[in-house]
């Protein structure tokens, strides 16, 4: 069996019969052979690395994003490079420079990077493949996985209102994320539909983190008058 035939099988190329493919796969299993991805990348001028850009400081959020990308990459020759950013809106140019220098073949953009026109235009300009998570702007730029934040938030608020609560605190997300305003729109729609007025004194910003949510809830409890306190509503 020629080296070229083995190479075709390992690289998933056509023009190899199934019996030959199985013989190569069996030899790979017996020898416990693992291709050198770096060597393959040099030969093809590719890194076989996929980047993930995200800003949310919540550890659980970052882990969930990484696990989602890793699940998709399982069984592929690509590997994940995590590129957390402190503030996409304040450092969009640095993000662009980071993506240019990271030697990656493509990138997954989480909010707010997925809504940054500066970053998107740059990626289109250099021809780097990308996918957007929960984009809320620039619908002409694809691909992306879209979440209906307005409807989802309306359902959440409606469920709470249906339980008879009316003194409801709202902890919004990071104000620099488009999803925060979209979700507020959904909350508002549910309150209007239920005929309940939003107490804007109970609407405060958060950062999509569990710890800050606890702090904000404590702020609600301290600021409420004894007669107004309804722990189940906040």
């Amino acid at each position: 069996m020629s080296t070229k035939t083995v190479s075709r099988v390992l690289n998933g190329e056509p023009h190899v019969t199934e019996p030959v493919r199985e013989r190569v796969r069996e030899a790979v299993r017996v020898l416990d052979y693992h291709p050198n991805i770096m060597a393959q990348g040099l030969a093809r001028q590719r890194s076989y690395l996929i980047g993930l850009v995200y800003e949310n400081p919540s550890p659980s959020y970052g882990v969930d994003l990484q696990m989602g990308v890793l699940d998709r990459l399982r069984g592929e020759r690509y590997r994940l490079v995590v590129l957390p950013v402190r503030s996409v809106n304040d450092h969009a140019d640095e993000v662009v420079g980071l993506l240019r220098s990271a030697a990656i073949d493509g990138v997954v953009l989480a909010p707010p990077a997925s809504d940054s026109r500066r970053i998107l235009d740059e990626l289109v300009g250099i021809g780097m493949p990308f996918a957007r998570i929960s984009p809320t702007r620039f619908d002409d730029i694809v691909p992306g996985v879209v979440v209906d934040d307005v409807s989802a938030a309306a359902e959440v608020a409606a469920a709470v209102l249906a339980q008879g609560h009316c003194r409801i605190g709202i902890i919004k997300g990071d104000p620099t994320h488009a999803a925060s305003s979209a979700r507020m729109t959904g909350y508002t729609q549910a309150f209007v539909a239920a005929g309940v007025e939003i107490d804007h004194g109970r609407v405060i910003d958060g950062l999509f983190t569990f710890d800050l949510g606890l702090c904000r809830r404590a702020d609600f409890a301290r600021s409420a008058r004894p007669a107004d306190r309804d722990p189940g509503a906040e």
Side-chain angles (χ1 to χ4, degrees):
M1 188 179 300
S2 69
T3 302
K4 180 60 178 175
T5 298
V6 174
S7 176
R8 283 175 175 169
V9 173
L10 294 179
N11 292 309
E13 297 176 5
H15 311 303
V16 181
T17 65
E18 189 56 35
V20 172
R21 287 185 186 278
E22 186 53 39
R23 286 172 56 194
V24 173
R25 292 167 184 157
E26 179 60 25
V28 167
R29 286 192 290 269
V30 171
L31 297 173
D32 194 25
Y33 172 75
H34 298 277
N36 187 316
I37 294 177
M38 294 184 64
Q40 291 179 335
L42 288 173
R44 296 177 176 81
Q45 295 186 331
R46 304 179 70 172
S47 67
Y48 291 105
L49 298 175
I50 299 295
L52 171 62
V53 174
Y54 68 91
E55 176 186 285
N56 192 314
S58 173
S60 61
Y61 176 81
V63 170
D64 285 344
L65 280 179
Q66 293 174 44
M67 292 306 299
V69 178
L70 288 172
D71 283 345
R72 177 59 186 87
L73 295 180
R74 186 172 289 113
E76 305 285 349
R77 58 166 58 95
Y78 288 91
R79 297 295 182 266
L80 176 64
V81 175
V82 180
L83 304 170
V85 179
R86 184 174 298 277
S87 173
V88 169
N89 289 326
D90 292 341
H91 305 288
D93 289 339
E94 293 181 17
V95 175
V96 168
L98 180 63
L99 293 175
R100 279 181 167 271
S101 62
I104 55 180
D105 291 335
V107 62
V108 177
L109 303 172
S114 57
D115 281 323
S116 170
R117 190 84 212 198
R118 171 76 176 89
I119 295 174
L120 297 174
D121 286 346
E122 183 70 19
L123 293 175
V124 171
I126 64 178
M128 178 180 291
F130 62 87
R132 306 164 67 197
I133 297 177
S134 299
T136 59
R137 303 167 183 159
F138 319 125
D139 295 340
D140 57 313
I141 302 179
V142 293
V145 179
V146 180
V147 176
D148 189 344
D149 284 297
V150 175
S151 295
E155 289 182 17
V156 170
V160 175
L161 289 163
Q163 297 178 30
H165 300 301
C166 57
R167 296 187 299 274
I168 301 173
I170 299 175
I171 303 174
K172 298 192 295 183
D174 190 324
T176 66
H177 288 233
S180 298
S181 59
R183 292 172 187 178
M184 192 64 208
T185 298
Y187 300 146
T188 302
Q189 290 177 356
F191 274 74
V192 171
V196 177
E197 184 176 353
I198 292 180
D199 182 352
H200 291 282
R202 296 175 182 267
V203 179
I204 54 181
D205 288 329
L207 291 174
F208 292 126
T209 65
F210 181 79
D211 289 342
L212 186 57
L214 289 177
C215 292
R216 293 306 196 194
R217 189 182 188 283
D219 291 341
F220 286 139
R222 285 194 295 269
S223 62
R225 299 189 303 273
D228 287 343
R229 289 179 181 170
D230 177 5
E234 298 176 76

